[in-house]
Amino acid sequence: MTSTVQRAELQAKIWRIANDVRGSVDGWDFKQFVLGTLFYRFISENFTNYIEGGEQSVNYANYPDDKITPEIKDDAIKTKGYFIYPSQLFVNVAKTANTNPNLNTDLKATFDAIESSANGYPSEPDIKGLFADFDTTSSRLGNTVENKNSRLASVLKGVEELNFGDFEDNKIDLFGDAYEFLISNYAANAGKSGGEFFTPQHVSKLIAQLAMHKQDKVNKIYDPAAGSGSLLLQAKKHFDNHIIEEGFYGQEVNHTTYNLARMNMFLHNINYDKFNIALGNTLIDPHYGDEKPFDAIVSNPPYSIKWIGDDDPTLINDDRFAPAGVLAPKSKADFAFVLHALSYLSSKGRAAIVCFPGIFYRSGAEQKIRKYLVDNNFVETIISLAPNLFYGTPIAVTILVLSKHKTDNKTQFIDASGEDFFKKVTNNNVLNDKHIEKIMDIFDNKEDVEYVAKTIDNSKIAENDYNLSVSSYIEAKDNREQVDIKQLNTEISKTVEKINALRTSIDEIVKEIEA
């Protein structure tokens, strides 16, 4: 079976489990149980593979718990970041799921034990609370213990039946793909709430390529609004030849999504010592200030959300915002995220940020921030994308590419919203590899392309009141049919003559009939 067929078959089975088992529970609410179970199986088999070390004679699942020495446990936690006793493995819990009257409480105890195994170790912040959203006692699973156990058992048995193949071969990729498939489908079906934390893979791929363009290696990659980690993972998936030396960093304000991001890292085989995902509000409680600068930054921050802004007078002195001399409006935090990213960017790197189009032409504080960015030559390229690329919103978003190593005082504008840059699939548009390659070629060579790309001197942008809207600099192609007026008038005259002749003939026929 080819990997493509196997992947498609696997995804179809997973989605069927997700829908069949949830019953009357809303799919958006039920996602934590399916995603959590998939994650539980992954870390169990990943841990088993580590313990067995490829020895065919070793079967860790059959080991007695009391045969595990403190030395074995300590060494495993230092390497993997957590510990799972044989009795706690997914395979053993799933085996008796249908007959275990204490399934929900046993699962909770298992999850608590896995998390607490990291206490006191460097991996503790990466493991703590991973299963917090997998509430095995939740009323969403049923009103009685029997109902809860029945639904939990159905999820466990469904995930148990999934065929991921041999772990050493392609299991990790399939696990990660299955996880992203579930997240993307939940996001698509949840509308706006889903789109807030998930950037579609095709858009993520473009953003990652922009940020990593022509960098043979980067020190680390960072997303200040990490969501489920999809943007960071695209860097790993599509840049095998790049060396991300010190790992993946991100911050996320939503607790559930923060847990998704950490799970997603593990599922894509990024070990705890190679990622750092923090929980908190990036704008008022930023993490990783001691880790900057970053050679690559990718982000899809929430569009035009409210923030404290100048209600906190100390923020104007913050190193991230002070250089611009003004704070982003309280009702629109977009440029606060942009300035934050710029502050964390290294002198050799790039930041690629998905932005709401309005920030590029509105007046007031946003205009002043644009002035700061243009006058200091930080804006490399602005790319207008097609509408309906994101779940839950038809907005045609814009990608802002920031750089601190430009060699000219010009800004590139790309209009990638035309039909040559997307494919319509059901209710959404998508970018395929050819579309992404075409955008990247234009981005790379910086040559003007009629109706598509134009590079403008920053002095001209200043004369235009620092308007950075793509449509202000790139003329839209006129797709209307060209009409030759003289020819049209001639054709109309001939048609009128024919009509008049016809009317005359009809009048004569009528006269003959009446006579």
Side-chain angles (χ1 to χ4, degrees):
M1 184 184 295
T2 66
S3 60
T4 302
V5 173
Q6 186 180 9
R7 182 177 289 108
E9 204 172 278
L10 181 66
Q11 290 175 347
K13 288 179 180 178
I14 287 177
W15 194 240
R16 188 161 59 248
I17 293 168
N19 283 313
D20 290 349
V21 175
R22 70 181 177 88
S24 60
V25 184
D26 180 79
W28 185 247
D29 293 332
F30 195 65
K31 72 180 185 302
Q32 305 304 334
F33 301 106
V34 181
L35 293 170
T37 302
L38 190 66
F39 176 70
Y40 174 36
R41 178 177 165 180
F42 171 80
I43 63 168
S44 292
E45 296 185 15
N46 184 292
F47 189 79
T48 298
N49 187 64
Y50 163 74
I51 291 291
E52 293 177 352
E55 293 290 336
Q56 297 294 325
S57 60
V58 180
N59 189 336
Y60 183 64
N62 291 337
Y63 265 45
D65 286 1
D66 58 11
K67 293 293 185 181
I68 304 299
T69 65
E71 291 77 19
I72 291 175
K73 184 176 180 180
D74 180 68
D75 183 66
I77 297 171
K78 287 177 180 176
T79 303
K80 300 302 295 179
Y82 58 90
F83 192 86
I84 306 178
Y85 282 98
S87 65
Q88 299 169 338
L89 292 170
F90 173 89
V91 63
N92 287 328
V93 173
K95 189 184 302 180
T96 61
N98 286 328
T99 58
N100 183 357
N102 302 312
L103 179 62
N104 68 327
T105 52
D106 284 353
L107 269 178
K108 184 181 187 309
T110 293
F111 296 159
D112 288 346
I114 294 172
E115 289 183 13
S116 63
S117 70
N119 290 351
Y121 288 85
S123 60
E124 180 177 353
D126 299 309
I127 305 298
K128 187 176 182 179
L130 269 175
F131 291 98
D133 297 300
F134 196 142
D135 183 1
T136 62
T137 62
S138 171
S139 60
R140 290 180 294 179
L141 291 169
N143 295 322
T144 66
V145 171
E146 290 77 13
N147 289 340
K148 291 179 175 67
N149 286 344
S150 176
R151 187 155 281 156
L152 285 169
S154 295
V155 178
L156 287 166
K157 300 304 283 187
V159 172
E160 180 188 39
E161 293 170 3
L162 297 173
N163 178 21
F164 287 104
D166 293 330
F167 196 95
E168 308 82 53
D169 297 335
N170 55 11
K171 195 166 191 175
I172 291 169
D173 288 337
L174 286 175
F175 257 118
D177 286 348
Y179 200 75
E180 286 193 36
F181 166 79
L182 268 177
I183 292 177
S184 64
N185 272 270
Y186 279 125
N189 285 274
K192 183 178 179 181
S193 58
E196 286 177 350
F197 76 90
F198 184 80
T199 305
Q201 288 191 34
H202 51 100
V203 182
S204 298
K205 186 175 181 179
L206 172 61
I207 295 167
Q209 289 195 24
L210 288 166
M212 303 279 284
H213 185 59
K214 288 188 174 178
Q215 297 198 70
D216 293 329
K217 62 181 179 179
V218 298
N219 60 353
K220 43 204 163 186
I221 187 166
Y222 169 61
D223 186 345
S228 60
S230 57
L231 277 170
L232 291 172
L233 289 168
Q234 284 301 319
K236 177 182 185 295
K237 182 176 291 187
H238 295 288
F239 293 93
D240 292 337
N241 294 327
H242 289 72
I243 301 173
I244 301 175
E245 296 174 321
E246 298 172 47
F248 304 79
Y249 290 74
Q251 184 164 346
E252 172 56 37
V253 69
N254 180 284
H255 193 278
T256 297
T257 313
Y258 156 71
N259 284 335
L260 285 177
R262 293 190 296 160
M263 287 183 182
N264 222 351
M265 294 294 129
F266 280 110
L267 279 160
H268 286 80
N269 207 34
I270 301 175
N271 207 35
Y272 78 91
D273 58 347
K274 278 294 185 180
F275 76 83
N276 288 274
I277 307 293
L279 176 66
N281 187 318
T282 299
L283 299 183
I284 61 175
D285 181 27
H287 289 243
Y288 308 125
D290 293 338
E291 295 286 346
K292 64 180 184 181
F294 294 85
D295 289 341
I297 297 177
V298 292
S299 195
N300 177 20
Y303 308 145
S304 299
I305 60 167
K306 296 179 181 178
W307 76 305
I308 192 169
D310 57 16
D311 280 350
D312 181 353
T314 65
L315 283 175
I316 194 60
N317 297 318
D318 190 299
D319 289 344
R320 299 169 296 165
F321 312 126
V326 65
L327 297 172
K330 287 184 293 185
S331 60
K332 301 175 183 68
D334 308 72
F335 266 128
F337 284 103
V338 169
L339 291 173
H340 171 90
L342 180 67
S343 172
Y344 276 47
L345 184 63
S346 74
S347 59
K348 61 168 275 194
R350 284 189 178 90
I353 307 167
V354 180
C355 298
F356 182 79
I359 71 169
F360 294 104
Y361 57 79
R362 291 190 297 233
S363 58
E366 291 179 319
Q367 182 187 35
K368 293 178 181 177
I369 294 172
R370 293 196 303 270
K371 180 180 187 300
Y372 163 71
L373 295 174
V374 172
D375 286 351
N376 287 276
N377 205 28
F378 291 136
V379 182
E380 179 173 1
T381 302
I382 298 172
I383 306 170
S384 176
L385 297 180
N388 287 311
L389 290 174
F390 288 78
Y391 301 120
T393 176
I395 296 171
V397 300
T398 300
I399 298 178
L400 170 64
V401 183
L402 299 174
S403 170
K404 293 181 178 178
H405 60 270
K406 291 171 61 183
T407 57
D408 58 19
N409 286 301
K410 298 179 179 181
T411 299
Q412 182 188 39
F413 294 86
I414 301 175
D415 183 353
S417 63
E419 293 182 357
D420 292 340
F421 295 96
F422 70 88
K423 178 182 179 182
K424 186 170 181 59
V425 178
T426 61
N427 295 325
N428 279 87
N429 295 324
V430 298
L431 304 173
N432 61 33
D433 286 347
K434 289 184 178 178
H435 299 139
I436 293 172
E437 183 180 347
K438 190 172 184 178
I439 294 171
M440 290 303 303
D441 283 345
I442 296 170
F443 171 75
D444 178 50
N445 61 44
K446 296 293 189 290
E447 293 178 1
D448 289 354
V449 180
E450 189 176 23
Y451 306 123
V452 174
K454 197 170 183 65
T455 299
I456 304 293
D457 285 330
N458 288 345
S459 60
K460 297 293 184 182
I461 296 174
E463 292 173 7
N464 198 22
D465 294 326
Y466 295 95
N467 185 325
L468 291 176
S469 176
V470 172
S471 61
S472 296
Y473 301 97
I474 298 179
E475 179 186 0
K477 187 175 182 179
D478 189 350
N479 291 314
R480 294 174 300 180
E481 183 181 355
Q482 298 296 316
V483 178
D484 186 326
I485 298 299
K486 289 183 178 180
Q487 182 181 346
L488 180 61
N489 286 334
T490 301
E491 291 175 357
I492 291 173
S493 297
K494 290 179 180 179
T495 302
V496 170
E497 288 177 5
K498 290 179 181 179
I499 292 173
N500 289 336
L502 183 60
R503 282 175 176 170
T504 301
S505 298
I506 292 173
D507 288 343
E508 290 175 356
I509 293 171
V510 171
K511 286 179 182 180
E512 290 178 5
I513 293 173
E514 290 178 345

